[in-house]
Amino acid sequence: MPLYVLLGHDAADSTEQRATSRPEHVERLKKLDAQGQLKIAGPCPIVHGEPAMSGSVIIAEFASLEEAQSWAQADPYLRDGVYTHTDVKPFIQALPAS
C-alpha cells in the first residue's frame, strides 16, 4: 500500500485539550499499528522538553489518498479542536531503504 503523511496543526493554547483527547487519538494509532499500516507517529513540540505542541506527524499506509483523508478527518484531535486542520499528502520513503 502507498504511504501518506498526515500533518496535524495545533490550535493555539490547545495543550489542555490535547491531554484530554490523547487517549482516543492514541487508540486509533494503535489500531493502525496492529494492522501493520503505521510507520511513524508523534507530536512536534514547540520546544523540546516543553508541553506545548505545534502539531503532529503520522506516516502510514492507506489504500488511497481518499482513505487517508477520511481517516485524518475522523481524528479526535481535529474533532475536539486540538488541530486547526490536517494536511494529507502522498509520501515516498527514500531513506532509510525499506
Side-chain angles (χ1 to χ4, degrees):
M1 273 195 288
L3 290 170
Y4 295 89
V5 60
L6 291 68
L7 304 169
H9 301 270
D10 277 27
D13 302 317
S14 62
T15 303
E16 188 174 312
Q17 185 59 52
R18 180 181 263 273
T20 300
S21 302
R22 187 174 188 277
E24 188 178 356
H25 170 79
V26 170
E27 190 58 37
R28 293 181 78 235
L29 291 168
K30 287 180 180 180
K31 286 180 185 175
L32 269 186
D33 190 37
Q35 296 166 347
Q37 291 176 256
L38 184 64
K39 301 305 174 191
I40 193 165
C44 299
I46 294 172
V47 176
H48 276 291
E50 299 288 328
M53 301 295 161
S54 65
S56 303
V57 175
I58 298 166
I59 298 176
E61 293 179 337
F62 291 96
S64 66
L65 177 59
E66 293 77 20
E67 184 180 310
Q69 290 169 330
S70 178
W71 191 91
Q73 287 300 310
D75 196 300
Y77 278 0
L78 189 60
R79 178 196 68 210
D80 298 344
V82 175
Y83 293 160
T84 59
H85 66 286
T86 304
D87 296 323
V88 180
K89 302 176 182 188
F91 180 79
I92 297 171
Q93 181 178 346
L95 293 171
S98 54

